[in-house]
Amino acid sequence: MGDEKQPDDTQSDLSNATESLKIEDQKENGDASKSDKVKIDILLKATGNAPIMKKKKWAVDAEKPIGWIMEFVKKYLKLEPEEKLFLYVNQTFAPSPDQIVKNLYECFGTDGKLVLHYCKSQAWG
C-alpha cells in the first residue's frame, strides 16, 4: 500500500512544481510589460485650511502606497517638510501610509475614481 501512495505523491509534486513555474512565468511576463500598468483615477479635494490644487484629478499607479500620494501632494503644494498633511477616504477615515491605492479603490472607489480629501489639520477620524 505504501507503493501505491508514492506515484500519487510524485504526481502531486509534479503538479505543484508545474503550477509554481506557471506562476513564476506569469510574474516574469508581467514584469516585461511594465507599460501596461494599471492606473487609478484619484480625485483630490481640499478640506479646511489646505490650499486648493489647480489640478484635482490624477491617474496614479495602482500599486503605489498612500504615503507616496501624501508626499506628492506636499511637494505639489510646496509645503514645508515639518508641515503635516492628512488624507481621508470619502471624508471618513485616514488610511495608513502603507495602504495600497488599489485596495482602497476596490473597497471605496465610486464612479470610477477614488476620492481623497486632504487637509493640514485633523478633520475627521
Side-chain angles (χ1 to χ4, degrees):
M1 288 193 167
D3 293 334
E4 291 175 10
K5 287 187 179 181
Q6 285 179 345
D8 289 338
D9 289 342
T10 304
Q11 184 68 23
S12 174
D13 290 341
L14 286 173
S15 296
N16 290 340
T18 304
E19 286 298 316
S20 175
L21 287 174
K22 285 180 184 176
I23 291 169
E24 287 176 14
D25 188 38
Q26 288 173 351
K27 286 181 184 175
E28 288 174 9
N29 288 343
D31 290 344
S33 60
K34 292 240 181 209
S35 61
D36 296 340
K37 281 187 176 181
V38 176
K39 299 277 186 177
I40 291 177
D41 287 334
I42 292 182
L43 186 62
L44 293 167
K45 293 185 173 184
T47 302
N49 61 348
I52 298 171
M53 298 173 78
K54 288 183 182 179
K55 182 177 177 182
K56 295 174 171 63
K57 191 173 181 182
W58 299 86
V60 177
D61 180 21
E63 298 302 319
K64 293 277 188 197
I66 287 294
W68 181 89
I69 294 173
M70 291 170 105
E71 291 303 313
F72 170 78
V73 173
K74 283 174 86 170
K75 286 178 187 174
Y76 185 88
L77 296 174
K78 298 177 181 145
L79 299 179
E80 296 296 324
E82 64 274 359
E83 286 185 274
K84 300 237 184 246
L85 184 76
F86 297 89
L87 277 182
Y88 295 93
V89 176
N90 295 340
Q91 296 181 348
T92 357
F93 73 97
S96 66
D98 63 345
Q99 187 67 252
I100 303 298
V101 172
K102 179 174 132 182
N103 295 343
L104 289 172
Y105 174 75
E106 288 172 354
C107 295
F108 304 103
T110 54
D111 299 327
K113 60 186 173 289
L114 178 64
V115 179
L116 297 175
H117 291 78
Y118 63 92
C119 56
K120 291 169 56 175
S121 60
Q122 279 189 314
W124 300 285

